[in-house]
Amino acid sequence: MSTSLRTRLSSLRYAASALTLLLAGCVSGPDHVPPEMPLPAKFEEGSSKSNGNVVTAEWWTAYRDKKLDGLVAHGLSENLDVLQALESINSASANVTVAGAGALPSLSVDASHTVSGEKGRLRTTVGATNTSGGEASLSWLLDVFGQYRRSKESAIASLGAAYATADNAKLTFLKDLVESYIDARYYQERIALSQANLKSRQQTYELTQLQLKAGAASRLDVVQAEGLVQSTKADIPSLEQSFTESAHHIATLLGMPAASLTDELRKNTGQPVFRGDIRAGIPADLIRNRPDIRKAERELAAAVADIGAAQAQLYPSISLSGSISPSWVKSSGASGASLTSWSFGPTLNLPIFDGGKLRANVDIEKSDARTQYLAWKAAVLNGVEEVENALSAVRRDTQTLEPLRRQVQTAQESLALSTTSYKDGASSLLDVLDAQRSVSDAQESLAATVQQVAKDYVDLYVAIGAGYLEPEQPASRACCNFPESGIRKSAEM
């Protein structure tokens, strides 16, 4: 290789390096900085101990219900809402490629071959002409001010938002499924209680009929006892319908036809009771763990990147384009000949007069970024509120369980005493009926409170963003990571 050629190649490499540095250094618009807002050191009824990363915590296993565990495991991979959200990740991933493609060189190649000639009495040529040709076109818009780099940043942030949306769909599914399961078991408990009460009231009714025959009771006593029996019978069908609807909804959540699980769920395992600890963590944990907050932060990052893309359009753009078109023509009876044409050159585009459109686009993107910051802030505050409410509900509702259990015991004891007294003729039937109603009401209140406490724990663990990732999955994704220290107002341009 000659010295002059080496010198030219070396100069070309230096020029290419300089151009690369120039393209990498000029990026319009602000860089995204994770937003910040002041948060308390602890929840009002929580501790000051951080939970750390709880996104893989299988909190529903604390109900110690193998059937529930199986439903959750199956549903996380089959729920249609979750699958739709996961599919949107593929679209967002493809958008990253689309967004960055504009900054890369574009090359297209065409080839053709034609045979032409003339026929008829007025023809001027004899034989056919073969023409072969091709064209290679190259174009490259130099992304001097980072329009496409900002667009790709926005697409990557949107991909992170898509991941967070899928995580949020899983969390929503967990809440819906576990609460529907709790409801189904509650209605089964109510049905069992109603059937037991029906048996007791039927016995009282039959006893009253015997008393009437013996002259120790009136017809009014019999009618009142029968009325309570019929009232209890009337409650059971509506409870069975509520159980059936809950079972149907669980099947739908699992991506199965309604009624697919009804027979299996009829095998009553009792009302679920949470046997785990209260682990609320601290408010700062929510920024890392709750997918809706991460989604809002990624949408803010996308909006900030869009500002840079809009600002880049205010500046000149340079594109390089070139083409080469070789062709070969051969006529019948003649030798062929070739012709090659080529072109190459830069194009400069200067946005001078646009009626303020490009500047207005920048203002629009800035306003959108400020809106996204406010949306992020609202997501954080809503998350804190949900945890505070769930903590309060868990503590308050749990405190009512023991008094209600004691109330059921005293009501049952009162019923036994009043029934014995009625048989001995020392009290009226009205005392027995009142005692039966008291037992029924106390049992219903206890069952409803057990149901509510079980749901309170669901609300708490969903509010802290726990359990939507399987243990083998990565707890964080490169596309949507951001510093946990967080949250400066990057939307303030």
Side-chain angles (χ1 to χ4, degrees):
M1 183 182 294
S2 65
T3 304
S4 60
L5 180 58
R6 284 197 299 267
T7 302
R8 285 196 296 270
L9 290 176
S10 178
S11 299
L12 182 60
R13 285 195 295 269
Y14 286 132
S17 300
L19 179 60
T20 302
L21 290 175
L22 175 65
L23 296 180
C26 298
V27 181
S28 301
D31 292 327
H32 172 66
V33 178
E36 287 185 341
M37 66 176 294
L39 291 173
K42 59 184 290 293
F43 295 108
E44 183 179 10
E45 299 189 33
S47 68
S48 57
K49 182 180 179 181
S50 172
N51 262 346
N53 196 332
V54 296
V55 297
T56 61
E58 297 178 339
W59 49 266
W60 55 88
T61 59
Y63 291 101
R64 300 182 187 178
D65 190 317
K66 296 299 182 182
K67 182 62 183 176
L68 175 60
D69 296 344
L71 294 175
V72 171
H74 178 79
L76 282 172
S77 60
E78 299 295 335
N79 179 258
L80 297 181
D81 291 336
V82 172
L83 293 177
Q84 290 180 58
L86 290 173
E87 187 60 36
S88 68
I89 295 175
N90 296 330
S91 175
S93 179
N95 280 333
V96 174
T97 302
V98 172
L104 300 176
S106 173
L107 175 65
S108 62
V109 178
D110 298 323
S112 65
H113 178 81
T114 59
V115 181
S116 61
E118 295 181 348
K119 288 185 176 182
R121 297 177 60 185
L122 299 179
R123 67 183 180 178
T124 60
T125 61
V126 178
T129 300
N130 290 272
T131 303
S132 298
E135 181 178 8
S137 299
L138 174 67
S139 62
W140 185 15
L141 177 62
L142 303 181
D143 195 19
V144 178
F145 297 99
Q147 175 183 349
Y148 290 104
R149 274 168 287 170
R150 289 303 193 192
S151 296
K152 187 172 183 179
E153 285 179 16
S154 177
I156 291 174
S158 296
L159 176 59
Y163 273 109
T165 299
D167 292 340
N168 198 52
K170 293 178 183 179
L171 203 57
T172 301
F173 159 76
L174 286 173
K175 176 179 173 64
D176 199 355
L177 175 67
V178 178
E179 289 190 344
S180 296
Y181 185 83
I182 291 170
D183 288 341
R185 296 310 187 198
Y186 162 72
Y187 292 123
Q188 285 182 313
E189 179 70 12
R190 286 287 310 279
I191 292 170
L193 291 173
S194 295
Q195 290 173 340
N197 289 332
L198 176 61
K199 182 179 180 180
S200 173
R201 291 169 182 179
Q202 184 69 36
Q203 291 173 347
T204 301
Y205 170 59
E206 293 171 355
L207 174 62
T208 306
Q209 287 181 314
L210 293 176
Q211 296 279 48
L212 176 63
K213 292 179 181 179
S218 65
R219 178 62 184 168
L220 177 60
D221 292 338
V222 175
V223 171
Q224 288 177 329
E226 183 182 7
L228 198 56
V229 169
Q230 299 304 325
S231 175
T232 306
K233 286 183 178 180
D235 290 340
I236 295 176
S238 63
L239 293 172
E240 290 177 339
Q241 176 62 21
S242 296
F243 164 77
T244 301
E245 290 176 357
S246 296
H248 289 173
H249 187 56
I250 290 172
T252 301
L253 289 174
L254 300 182
M256 303 168 62
S260 300
L261 295 173
T262 304
D263 291 339
E264 188 174 351
L265 289 174
R266 289 191 189 281
K267 301 173 184 177
N268 194 352
T269 59
Q271 286 188 268
V273 176
F274 192 87
R275 295 179 175 86
D277 299 327
I278 300 177
R279 296 176 54 192
I282 59 176
D285 292 335
L286 303 183
I287 297 173
R288 175 185 58 251
N289 294 330
R290 279 186 61 122
D292 59 331
I293 296 177
R294 288 193 290 106
K295 176 176 180 289
E297 189 276 339
R298 290 290 82 198
E299 289 175 342
L300 171 59
V304 172
D306 288 339
I307 295 174
Q311 286 184 345
Q313 297 182 33
L314 297 173
Y315 306 117
S317 62
I318 301 174
S319 59
L320 303 177
S321 61
S323 65
I324 181 170
S325 303
S327 61
W328 184 80
V329 181
K330 183 180 185 302
S331 299
S332 178
S335 59
S338 64
L339 173 67
T340 300
S341 60
W342 61 272
S343 65
F344 178 79
T347 301
L348 176 65
N349 178 38
L350 298 175
I352 299 176
F353 299 113
D354 62 359
K357 172 185 173 181
L358 297 179
R359 180 64 62 181
N361 285 338
V362 175
D363 293 338
I364 290 172
E365 299 300 342
K366 286 183 177 181
S367 178
D368 183 55
R370 286 190 286 268
T371 300
Q372 294 300 335
Y373 168 75
L374 295 175
W376 173 86
K377 189 174 182 179
V380 174
L381 293 178
N382 289 337
V384 173
E385 179 187 1
E386 289 177 6
V387 176
E388 294 280 20
N389 290 340
L391 276 173
S392 178
V394 165
R395 297 186 186 281
R396 301 301 183 277
D397 291 340
T398 302
Q399 291 173 359
T400 66
L401 284 175
E402 191 56 36
L404 285 173
R405 291 191 180 100
R406 181 56 185 160
Q407 182 182 359
V408 170
Q409 293 174 356
T410 57
Q412 289 173 335
E413 184 178 358
S414 176
L415 174 60
L417 293 174
S418 60
T419 300
T420 301
S421 180
Y422 175 65
K423 290 178 180 179
D424 295 339
S427 63
S428 66
L429 176 64
L430 184 60
D431 295 331
V432 177
L433 299 182
D434 286 342
Q436 288 178 335
R437 291 190 186 95
S438 296
V439 169
S440 177
D441 292 343
Q443 290 174 334
E444 291 176 9
S445 296
L446 177 59
T449 301
V450 171
Q451 174 200 29
Q452 187 57 55
V453 171
K455 284 187 172 184
D456 290 342
Y457 282 100
V458 177
D459 292 340
L460 174 61
Y461 280 88
V462 169
I464 65 175
Y468 55 84
L469 289 185
E470 298 178 15
E472 62 270 17
Q473 288 183 271
S476 60
R477 303 178 175 92
C479 67
C480 47
N481 286 347
F482 55 93
E484 295 176 14
S485 64
I487 296 218
R488 279 184 289 278
K489 191 175 181 181
S490 59
E492 293 179 350
M493 310 306 169

